[in-house]
Amino acid sequence: MARRPIWKGQIRLSLVSIPVEIFPATSSSGTVSFHQIDRKSGKRIHYDKVVDGHKPVSPEDIVRGFEVKKDQYVILTDEELDAVKLETKKTLELVQFVDTPEIPPLYFDKPHYVVPQDELAEDAFRVLRDALKQGGKTGLGQMTMRGKEYLVAVRPYGTGLLLETLHYADEIRKADELFADIAKGETDDDLLAVAQELIERKTHPFKAGAFKNHYLAAVKALVEEKRRKHGEVEIEDEPDEAPKGKAKSNVIDLMASLKKSLERSKGEGDRTPASKPAAKAKSAPKRKRA
């Protein structure tokens, strides 16, 4: 089944317009999703949309409202919203270019693939892609998608383009207050040298496939195990809490830990995270059902 684009329009560079299609670059298949279930009946719990002091509201009676004051709303219809004239609904104009590393990672939101709509658009598409690649540049612009106007960054990716939605400046929370409590002190040179050597030994080319979603695999295994037991529920004892004591944070303990990590890294050689054997979880003692 062919994938459907989430946006069709044109990328405009000055007087050049390139018809393109945009597709999501990620999926939610790696996330664990649970439903809320009634313990007694085993049925799924659903939620009704209600108005305070009234019965549940049917879907056809639900409209959109923009709050202008507390509990005061201006009702907007779908037709009125669709009639809002925004050029960015069908056109993504690249209005500025920056060096690719110049955009802080904090601003990046979601990635999307950009491809030409047809063969006629391929020539102009390749010109834009290769010009960005050779110059090490990223194009910035704005586009409307799914009822929201996004700030986006466009850069080369393989034989296509990668479009990433960006957070606006007022969406980024300041870190000053959070970082203010971190003491401003000089890092010990010996500790720094050992830490740098440890990092260097564990430096490898990035391969996303080397990292697996262990939580998802464990949950699926647990579900299969419970299915094999025909729905019998076993309650595991909670592990005892670790004894509370005074935390050690002196330089000697830190140096010892770093050196121990270095010794361990010597035995690991150049193994990537994927080549390491997965640790087996210890099963807790099970309590018999009443």
Side-chain angles (χ1 to χ4, degrees), residues 64 76-87 89-90 144-148:
R64 301 185 190 186
L76 299 172
T77 65
D78 291 340
E79 292 76 15
E80 289 172 332
L81 291 172
D82 290 339
V84 174
K85 299 298 183 182
L86 281 178
E87 188 178 359
K89 280 186 175 181
K90 291 296 181 182
T144 300
M145 183 169 53
R146 294 177 173 175
K148 180 180 178 181

Side-chain angles (χ1 to χ4, degrees), residues 24-54:
T26 58
S27 71
S28 58
S29 60
T31 59
V32 178
S33 178
F34 296 102
H35 296 293
Q36 292 186 325
I37 307 297
D38 176 33
R39 183 190 298 272
K40 295 180 180 179
S41 65
K43 302 293 184 180
R44 183 178 172 183
I45 297 173
H46 296 278
Y47 294 92
D48 293 324
K49 295 184 177 181
V50 299
V51 177
D52 293 340
H54 294 73

